[in-house]
Amino acid sequence: PSAKKPRKQGSTVPDPTPGAGDGIDETDHGMPRRASEPAQRKLPMSKPKLRNLEEDKKKYPDQKVSVGIIVSKNKVERKGVLTLFKCFPGEDEIRHYSTDMVELYMGVIDDCCIAVLGQCGQGAADSNDGPGSQRVAHDILSNWPECRLLATVGIAFGTPKSINPKVKANSKLGDVLIGQTILPYAHLKILPSGECEIRGPGYQFLMSQKVLNGVKQVIRIYNDECDSASSMPAPKAYVGPLLSGSTLLNNSDYHAELAKLSQAPGWPGGIIGGEMEGVGLVEALKLTGEKNHEKLPILIVKGISDFGDGQKGDEDQQRAALEAVKVFELIMDELANPNLYGFYELPMATGDA
Protein backbone atom coordinates (compact mmCIF):
# COMPACT_ATOMS: atom_id res chain seq x y z
CA PRO A 1 0.00 0.00 0.00
CA SER A 2 0.94 3.63 -0.38
CA ALA A 3 3.03 5.32 2.27
CA LYS A 4 1.19 6.35 5.41
CA LYS A 5 -0.14 9.87 4.87
CA PRO A 6 1.02 12.68 7.17
CA ARG A 7 -1.34 13.47 9.99
CA LYS A 8 -3.37 16.58 9.43
CA GLN A 9 -2.50 19.57 11.54
CA GLY A 10 -4.58 19.69 14.68
CA SER A 11 -5.94 16.18 14.22
CA THR A 12 -3.58 14.15 16.38
CA VAL A 13 -5.53 12.10 18.89
CA PRO A 14 -3.74 10.83 22.01
CA ASP A 15 -3.72 7.09 22.48
CA PRO A 16 -6.12 5.96 25.21
CA THR A 17 -4.30 4.84 28.33
CA PRO A 18 -5.13 1.23 29.33
CA GLY A 19 -6.49 1.01 32.82
CA ALA A 20 -7.52 4.66 32.99
CA GLY A 21 -11.24 4.06 33.00
CA ASP A 22 -11.49 3.07 29.34
CA GLY A 23 -12.71 -0.49 29.90
CA ILE A 24 -9.84 -2.22 28.10
CA ASP A 25 -9.45 -5.97 28.19
CA GLU A 26 -5.75 -6.92 28.33
CA THR A 27 -6.30 -10.48 27.08
CA ASP A 28 -4.21 -11.73 24.15
CA HIS A 29 -6.68 -13.53 21.90
CA GLY A 30 -4.02 -15.59 20.12
CA MET A 31 -4.90 -14.39 16.62
CA PRO A 32 -2.44 -14.79 13.70
CA ARG A 33 -0.73 -11.44 13.23
CA ARG A 34 1.12 -9.48 10.62
CA ALA A 35 4.80 -9.18 11.44
CA SER A 36 4.41 -5.45 12.16
CA GLU A 37 1.31 -5.79 14.33
CA PRO A 38 1.35 -5.22 18.09
CA ALA A 39 1.18 -8.31 20.26
CA GLN A 40 -2.37 -7.74 21.48
CA ARG A 41 -5.74 -6.84 20.05
CA LYS A 42 -7.55 -5.17 22.93
CA LEU A 43 -11.33 -5.25 23.08
CA PRO A 44 -13.26 -2.52 24.91
CA MET A 45 -15.36 -4.23 27.57
CA SER A 46 -17.80 -1.51 28.63
CA LYS A 47 -20.08 0.87 26.75
CA PRO A 48 -19.49 4.62 26.91
CA LYS A 49 -22.23 6.78 28.40
CA LEU A 50 -25.00 7.99 26.08
CA ARG A 51 -24.78 11.49 24.63
CA ASN A 52 -27.34 13.63 22.80
CA LEU A 53 -26.65 13.51 19.06
CA GLU A 54 -28.50 16.69 18.11
CA GLU A 55 -26.74 18.68 20.83
CA ASP A 56 -23.32 17.44 19.68
CA LYS A 57 -24.10 18.24 16.03
CA LYS A 58 -24.90 21.82 17.04
CA LYS A 59 -21.85 22.04 19.30
CA TYR A 60 -19.40 20.66 16.70
CA PRO A 61 -20.83 21.68 13.30
CA ASP A 62 -17.45 21.36 11.58
CA GLN A 63 -16.87 17.73 12.56
CA LYS A 64 -17.67 15.81 9.41
CA VAL A 65 -18.05 12.05 9.20
CA SER A 66 -16.06 10.30 6.45
CA VAL A 67 -16.85 6.63 7.13
CA GLY A 68 -19.98 4.80 8.24
CA ILE A 69 -19.45 1.25 9.52
CA ILE A 70 -22.25 -1.24 10.12
CA VAL A 71 -21.82 -4.36 12.26
CA SER A 72 -24.30 -6.92 13.53
CA LYS A 73 -25.11 -7.29 17.22
CA ASN A 74 -22.44 -9.95 17.49
CA LYS A 75 -20.37 -8.53 20.38
CA VAL A 76 -17.04 -9.56 18.87
CA GLU A 77 -17.83 -7.65 15.67
CA ARG A 78 -18.68 -4.45 17.53
CA LYS A 79 -15.81 -4.65 20.00
CA GLY A 80 -13.32 -5.62 17.32
CA VAL A 81 -14.10 -2.60 15.14
CA LEU A 82 -14.12 -0.30 18.16
CA THR A 83 -10.47 -1.18 18.80
CA LEU A 84 -9.75 1.05 15.78
CA PHE A 85 -11.55 4.04 17.31
CA LYS A 86 -9.85 6.75 19.33
CA CYS A 87 -11.48 9.48 21.39
CA PHE A 88 -11.76 13.07 20.27
CA PRO A 89 -9.10 15.34 21.79
CA GLY A 90 -10.00 16.28 25.35
CA GLU A 91 -12.51 13.44 25.72
CA ASP A 92 -11.90 10.23 27.67
CA GLU A 93 -14.20 7.87 25.75
CA ILE A 94 -15.67 7.49 22.29
CA ARG A 95 -19.08 9.01 21.72
CA HIS A 96 -22.19 6.86 22.08
CA TYR A 97 -25.64 7.76 20.73
CA SER A 98 -29.05 6.16 20.36
CA THR A 99 -31.42 7.31 17.60
CA ASP A 100 -34.83 5.64 17.57
CA MET A 101 -33.89 1.94 17.17
CA VAL A 102 -30.25 2.51 16.15
CA GLU A 103 -27.24 2.43 18.47
CA LEU A 104 -24.27 4.49 17.22
CA TYR A 105 -20.64 5.06 18.22
CA MET A 106 -18.42 7.90 16.96
CA GLY A 107 -14.66 8.29 17.12
CA VAL A 108 -11.50 8.90 15.14
CA ILE A 109 -9.67 6.29 13.08
CA ASP A 110 -6.39 6.63 11.22
CA ASP A 111 -5.75 9.77 13.28
CA CYS A 112 -7.66 12.06 10.92
CA CYS A 113 -10.90 10.39 9.89
CA ILE A 114 -14.16 10.66 11.85
CA ALA A 115 -16.10 7.39 11.72
CA VAL A 116 -19.50 6.29 12.96
CA LEU A 117 -20.27 2.67 13.83
CA GLY A 118 -23.90 1.49 13.83
CA GLN A 119 -25.25 -1.80 15.19
CA CYS A 120 -27.89 -3.81 13.37
CA GLY A 121 -29.64 -7.11 13.79
CA GLN A 122 -28.68 -9.98 11.52
CA GLY A 123 -29.50 -9.22 7.90
CA ALA A 124 -30.71 -6.29 5.84
CA ALA A 125 -34.31 -6.16 7.09
CA ASP A 126 -35.63 -5.23 10.53
CA SER A 127 -36.36 -8.25 12.72
CA ASN A 128 -36.86 -9.29 16.33
CA ASP A 129 -33.08 -9.08 16.56
CA GLY A 130 -33.14 -5.33 15.92
CA PRO A 131 -33.00 -2.87 13.02
CA GLY A 132 -31.63 -4.25 9.77
CA SER A 133 -28.46 -3.06 8.10
CA GLN A 134 -30.50 -1.05 5.57
CA ARG A 135 -32.14 1.02 8.33
CA VAL A 136 -28.82 1.57 10.14
CA ALA A 137 -26.99 2.59 6.95
CA HIS A 138 -29.86 4.91 6.01
CA ASP A 139 -29.76 6.46 9.49
CA ILE A 140 -26.03 7.15 9.15
CA LEU A 141 -26.40 8.67 5.67
CA SER A 142 -29.35 10.80 6.83
CA ASN A 143 -27.47 12.20 9.83
CA TRP A 144 -24.14 12.58 8.00
CA PRO A 145 -24.80 13.04 4.26
CA GLU A 146 -21.14 14.02 3.80
CA CYS A 147 -20.13 10.39 4.47
CA ARG A 148 -17.57 9.19 1.88
CA LEU A 149 -17.52 5.43 2.51
CA LEU A 150 -19.86 2.74 3.87
CA ALA A 151 -18.50 -0.52 5.27
CA THR A 152 -19.68 -3.64 7.02
CA VAL A 153 -17.16 -5.74 8.94
CA GLY A 154 -17.73 -9.07 10.67
CA ILE A 155 -18.28 -12.74 9.85
CA ALA A 156 -19.30 -14.62 6.73
CA PHE A 157 -19.63 -18.13 5.36
CA GLY A 158 -17.06 -19.35 2.88
CA THR A 159 -17.77 -21.35 -0.26
CA PRO A 160 -15.21 -24.18 -0.49
CA LYS A 161 -14.47 -26.22 -3.59
CA SER A 162 -16.48 -29.11 -2.14
CA ILE A 163 -19.59 -26.95 -2.57
CA ASN A 164 -18.57 -24.93 -5.64
CA PRO A 165 -15.89 -26.78 -7.67
CA LYS A 166 -15.46 -23.74 -9.94
CA VAL A 167 -14.53 -21.33 -7.15
CA LYS A 168 -10.95 -20.07 -7.43
CA ALA A 169 -10.47 -19.33 -3.72
CA ASN A 170 -9.61 -22.42 -1.67
CA SER A 171 -10.78 -20.77 1.54
CA LYS A 172 -10.58 -22.00 5.12
CA LEU A 173 -11.85 -20.88 8.52
CA GLY A 174 -10.31 -17.56 9.53
CA ASP A 175 -9.73 -16.38 5.97
CA VAL A 176 -11.18 -12.99 5.02
CA LEU A 177 -13.52 -12.24 2.12
CA ILE A 178 -13.86 -8.79 0.53
CA GLY A 179 -16.84 -8.19 -1.72
CA GLN A 180 -16.13 -7.06 -5.27
CA THR A 181 -19.83 -7.45 -6.08
CA ILE A 182 -22.80 -8.95 -4.26
CA LEU A 183 -25.57 -11.20 -5.51
CA PRO A 184 -28.76 -10.62 -3.46
CA TYR A 185 -30.62 -13.87 -2.92
CA ALA A 186 -33.70 -12.79 -0.95
CA HIS A 187 -36.03 -13.13 -3.95
CA LEU A 188 -36.18 -16.72 -5.16
CA LYS A 189 -38.48 -18.78 -7.33
CA ILE A 190 -38.73 -22.42 -6.26
CA LEU A 191 -39.36 -24.63 -9.29
CA PRO A 192 -41.41 -27.88 -9.21
CA SER A 193 -38.13 -29.77 -9.51
CA GLY A 194 -36.97 -28.22 -6.24
CA GLU A 195 -34.35 -26.12 -7.99
CA CYS A 196 -34.23 -22.34 -7.49
CA GLU A 197 -34.06 -19.25 -9.64
CA ILE A 198 -32.71 -16.01 -8.22
CA ARG A 199 -35.07 -13.14 -9.01
CA GLY A 200 -33.90 -9.57 -8.68
CA PRO A 201 -31.26 -7.19 -9.98
CA GLY A 202 -28.42 -9.70 -10.29
CA TYR A 203 -24.85 -8.79 -9.36
CA GLN A 204 -24.46 -5.35 -7.76
CA PHE A 205 -21.13 -3.50 -7.93
CA LEU A 206 -19.77 -2.05 -4.68
CA MET A 207 -16.91 0.27 -5.63
CA SER A 208 -15.15 1.96 -8.51
CA GLN A 209 -12.36 0.23 -10.38
CA LYS A 210 -9.88 2.67 -8.84
CA VAL A 211 -10.87 1.74 -5.29
CA LEU A 212 -11.01 -1.96 -6.20
CA ASN A 213 -7.43 -1.81 -7.48
CA GLY A 214 -6.35 -0.28 -4.16
CA VAL A 215 -8.09 -3.01 -2.20
CA LYS A 216 -6.47 -5.73 -4.31
CA GLN A 217 -3.05 -4.16 -3.73
CA VAL A 218 -3.62 -4.32 0.04
CA ILE A 219 -4.70 -7.96 -0.17
CA ARG A 220 -1.61 -8.99 -2.13
CA ILE A 221 0.66 -7.47 0.53
CA TYR A 222 -1.42 -8.89 3.39
CA ASN A 223 -1.21 -12.40 1.96
CA ASP A 224 2.54 -12.12 1.39
CA GLU A 225 3.14 -10.89 4.95
CA CYS A 226 0.97 -13.63 6.47
CA ASP A 227 2.88 -16.29 4.53
CA SER A 228 6.28 -14.96 5.60
CA ALA A 229 5.35 -14.38 9.27
CA SER A 230 4.23 -17.91 10.13
CA SER A 231 5.16 -21.50 9.36
CA MET A 232 1.55 -22.48 10.19
CA PRO A 233 -1.25 -22.21 7.58
CA ALA A 234 -1.81 -18.45 7.73
CA PRO A 235 -5.03 -16.57 7.05
CA LYS A 236 -5.60 -15.45 3.48
CA ALA A 237 -7.80 -12.73 2.05
CA TYR A 238 -9.79 -13.01 -1.16
CA VAL A 239 -11.65 -10.47 -3.29
CA GLY A 240 -14.67 -11.64 -5.27
CA PRO A 241 -18.44 -12.00 -5.57
CA LEU A 242 -20.48 -12.64 -2.42
CA LEU A 243 -24.03 -13.78 -1.79
CA SER A 244 -25.90 -11.36 0.45
CA GLY A 245 -29.31 -11.76 2.04
CA SER A 246 -31.20 -11.90 5.32
CA THR A 247 -31.61 -15.68 5.23
CA LEU A 248 -29.26 -17.45 7.65
CA LEU A 249 -27.67 -20.17 5.55
CA ASN A 250 -27.03 -23.41 7.47
CA ASN A 251 -27.63 -26.06 4.80
CA SER A 252 -24.90 -27.32 2.49
CA ASP A 253 -27.32 -28.52 -0.23
CA TYR A 254 -29.02 -25.13 -0.42
CA HIS A 255 -25.59 -23.47 -0.35
CA ALA A 256 -24.50 -25.61 -3.31
CA GLU A 257 -27.66 -24.68 -5.24
CA LEU A 258 -27.07 -20.96 -4.70
CA ALA A 259 -23.40 -21.35 -5.67
CA LYS A 260 -24.47 -22.98 -8.94
CA LEU A 261 -26.94 -20.18 -9.66
CA SER A 262 -24.23 -17.59 -9.04
CA GLN A 263 -22.17 -18.78 -12.03
CA ALA A 264 -23.48 -16.08 -14.33
CA PRO A 265 -21.99 -14.57 -17.49
CA GLY A 266 -19.02 -12.48 -16.43
CA TRP A 267 -18.71 -14.46 -13.19
CA PRO A 268 -17.99 -18.02 -14.34
CA GLY A 269 -16.48 -19.02 -11.01
CA GLY A 270 -19.49 -17.81 -9.04
CA ILE A 271 -19.42 -16.76 -5.42
CA ILE A 272 -16.52 -17.11 -2.96
CA GLY A 273 -18.85 -16.92 0.05
CA GLY A 274 -21.71 -14.94 1.52
CA GLU A 275 -22.97 -12.75 4.32
CA MET A 276 -26.16 -11.04 5.53
CA GLU A 277 -25.67 -7.28 5.84
CA GLY A 278 -24.08 -5.97 2.63
CA VAL A 279 -27.26 -5.89 0.55
CA GLY A 280 -28.79 -3.53 3.13
CA LEU A 281 -26.00 -1.01 2.54
CA VAL A 282 -26.58 -1.23 -1.22
CA GLU A 283 -30.31 -0.59 -0.78
CA ALA A 284 -29.70 2.30 1.63
CA LEU A 285 -27.36 3.89 -0.91
CA LYS A 286 -30.06 3.64 -3.59
CA LEU A 287 -32.52 5.44 -1.32
CA THR A 288 -30.30 8.54 -1.26
CA GLY A 289 -31.30 9.05 -4.88
CA GLU A 290 -28.08 10.81 -5.83
CA LYS A 291 -25.16 8.57 -4.85
CA ASN A 292 -23.87 5.32 -6.31
CA HIS A 293 -20.94 2.98 -5.79
CA GLU A 294 -18.70 5.28 -7.85
CA LYS A 295 -19.35 8.24 -5.56
CA LEU A 296 -19.74 6.36 -2.27
CA PRO A 297 -18.00 2.95 -2.24
CA ILE A 298 -19.19 0.07 -0.08
CA LEU A 299 -16.65 -2.18 1.64
CA ILE A 300 -17.73 -5.64 2.77
CA VAL A 301 -14.94 -7.23 4.82
CA LYS A 302 -15.92 -10.50 6.51
CA GLY A 303 -13.96 -13.34 8.10
CA ILE A 304 -15.01 -16.93 7.43
CA SER A 305 -16.57 -18.48 10.54
CA ASP A 306 -18.29 -21.43 8.81
CA PHE A 307 -19.21 -22.83 5.40
CA GLY A 308 -22.98 -22.36 5.41
CA ASP A 309 -23.49 -25.92 6.59
CA GLY A 310 -24.61 -25.44 10.19
CA GLN A 311 -21.18 -26.26 11.64
CA LYS A 312 -19.97 -23.18 13.52
CA GLY A 313 -18.63 -22.30 16.96
CA ASP A 314 -18.05 -19.20 19.08
CA GLU A 315 -14.26 -19.52 18.81
CA ASP A 316 -14.43 -19.65 15.01
CA GLN A 317 -16.67 -16.56 14.97
CA GLN A 318 -14.31 -14.62 17.22
CA ARG A 319 -11.27 -15.52 15.18
CA ALA A 320 -13.01 -14.64 11.91
CA ALA A 321 -14.33 -11.30 13.15
CA LEU A 322 -10.98 -10.14 14.54
CA GLU A 323 -9.12 -11.16 11.39
CA ALA A 324 -11.65 -9.16 9.34
CA VAL A 325 -10.92 -6.11 11.53
CA LYS A 326 -7.19 -6.45 10.76
CA VAL A 327 -7.81 -6.50 7.02
CA PHE A 328 -10.29 -3.63 7.25
CA GLU A 329 -7.66 -1.57 9.09
CA LEU A 330 -5.12 -2.21 6.32
CA ILE A 331 -7.62 -1.20 3.64
CA MET A 332 -8.46 1.98 5.53
CA ASP A 333 -4.75 2.82 5.72
CA GLU A 334 -4.56 2.51 1.94
CA LEU A 335 -7.71 4.50 1.22
CA ALA A 336 -6.54 7.24 3.58
CA ASN A 337 -4.21 8.60 0.89
CA PRO A 338 -6.09 11.74 -0.24
CA ASN A 339 -3.96 12.03 -3.36
CA LEU A 340 -5.29 8.70 -4.61
CA TYR A 341 -8.83 8.43 -3.29
CA GLY A 342 -9.86 11.63 -1.56
CA PHE A 343 -12.10 10.00 1.06
CA TYR A 344 -10.50 11.81 3.96
CA GLU A 345 -9.97 15.23 2.40
CA LEU A 346 -12.46 16.64 4.93
CA PRO A 347 -10.39 17.96 7.83
CA MET A 348 -11.24 16.86 11.35
CA ALA A 349 -12.13 20.09 13.17
CA THR A 350 -11.31 19.27 16.76
CA GLY A 351 -12.81 22.29 18.44
CA ASP A 352 -12.98 22.42 22.21
CA ALA A 353 -14.08 19.18 23.86
Side-chain angles (χ1 to χ4, degrees):
S2 55
K4 185 78 170 180
K5 65 188 180 310
R7 292 177 176 175
K8 296 183 180 177
Q9 186 174 5
S11 68
T12 302
V13 181
D15 291 327
T17 305
D22 56 359
I24 295 294
D25 176 17
E26 298 289 351
T27 304
D28 186 341
H29 292 275
M31 298 295 299
R33 299 188 298 271
R34 305 190 309 275
S36 59
E37 185 174 304
Q40 295 180 334
R41 169 71 64 181
K42 299 171 182 177
L43 303 183
M45 299 301 291
S46 59
K47 289 185 179 180
K49 64 179 183 295
L50 276 173
R51 299 166 62 121
N52 186 292
L53 176 58
E54 293 306 316
E55 288 181 3
D56 276 0
K57 288 170 72 174
K58 291 177 182 178
K59 188 176 182 181
Y60 307 110
D62 294 328
Q63 291 183 347
K64 305 297 185 182
V65 170
S66 294
V67 180
I69 307 168
I70 290 85
V71 298
S72 78
K73 287 192 173 180
N74 181 306
K75 290 181 180 179
V76 176
E77 290 186 10
R78 185 193 79 228
K79 291 180 178 180
V81 174
L82 287 181
T83 63
L84 306 180
F85 280 50
K86 293 181 180 180
C87 310
F88 286 87
E91 299 180 1
D92 58 5
E93 60 183 4
I94 62 174
R95 297 176 187 173
H96 180 204
Y97 305 108
S98 181
T99 63
D100 191 14
M101 296 171 61
V102 180
E103 190 170 11
L104 300 167
Y105 299 85
M106 179 188 282
V108 183
I109 58 176
D110 209 30
D111 287 321
C112 67
C113 167
I114 298 178
V116 169
L117 180 145
Q119 276 191 268
C120 67
Q122 281 191 322
D126 294 354
S127 66
N128 292 335
D129 195 33
S133 61
Q134 179 174 335
R135 178 193 289 265
V136 176
H138 184 265
D139 193 73
I140 290 174
L141 292 177
S142 297
N143 279 295
W144 297 281
E146 72 276 9
C147 187
R148 301 294 182 89
L149 176 72
L150 281 178
T152 178
V153 183
I155 59 175
F157 62 84
T159 300
K161 290 185 178 292
S162 59
I163 286 179
N164 178 12
K166 293 186 178 182
V167 71
K168 293 182 179 180
N170 190 18
S171 57
K172 61 185 179 299
L173 294 177
D175 285 348
V176 178
L177 307 178
I178 298 95
Q180 178 175 354
T181 61
I182 58 166
L183 180 62
Y185 67 100
H187 302 292
L188 294 174
K189 180 179 180 180
I190 309 298
L191 303 175
S193 64
E195 295 182 330
C196 301
E197 286 183 0
I198 294 180
R199 297 291 185 92
Y203 278 107
Q204 304 285 289
F205 283 93
L206 301 173
M207 63 190 79
S208 68
Q209 187 62 48
K210 185 176 183 180
V211 174
L212 178 62
N213 290 341
V215 170
K216 287 183 175 180
Q217 169 74 357
V218 171
I219 297 316
R220 282 193 291 269
I221 294 175
Y222 167 84
N223 287 338
D224 288 345
E225 286 192 354
C226 283
D227 284 342
S228 63
S230 176
S231 58
M232 302 287 289
K236 291 279 189 180
Y238 301 96
V239 182
L242 298 175
L243 283 173
S244 188
S246 295
T247 301
L248 183 61
L249 189 57
N250 274 340
N251 182 286
S252 56
D253 292 336
Y254 186 45
H255 186 178
E257 179 68 18
L258 291 174
K260 183 172 67 174
L261 292 174
S262 73
Q263 294 162 13
W267 306 100
I271 55 160
I272 61 173
E275 53 85 60
M276 300 177 66
E277 288 74 42
V279 66
L281 277 63
V282 171
E283 293 303 316
L285 188 58
K286 291 178 181 178
L287 290 175
T288 65
E290 53 187 46
K291 294 182 179 179
N292 57 32
H293 68 277
E294 295 277 349
K295 296 180 179 179
L296 199 159
I298 294 173
L299 274 178
I300 301 176
V301 184
K302 302 289 183 86
I304 296 176
S305 64
D306 63 278
F307 294 104
D309 54 6
Q311 304 297 316
K312 64 179 69 176
D314 291 344
E315 187 174 329
D316 293 329
Q317 290 188 357
Q318 176 167 292
R319 179 185 181 190
L322 294 181
E323 200 62 37
V325 170
K326 295 177 185 179
V327 174
F328 176 67
E329 183 179 15
L330 285 174
I331 294 173
M332 293 298 289
D333 284 346
E334 170 68 10
L335 298 186
N337 187 332
N339 296 323
L340 291 177
Y341 306 99
F343 291 129
Y344 305 158
E345 61 192 29
L346 290 171
M348 189 192 85
T350 58
D352 295 324

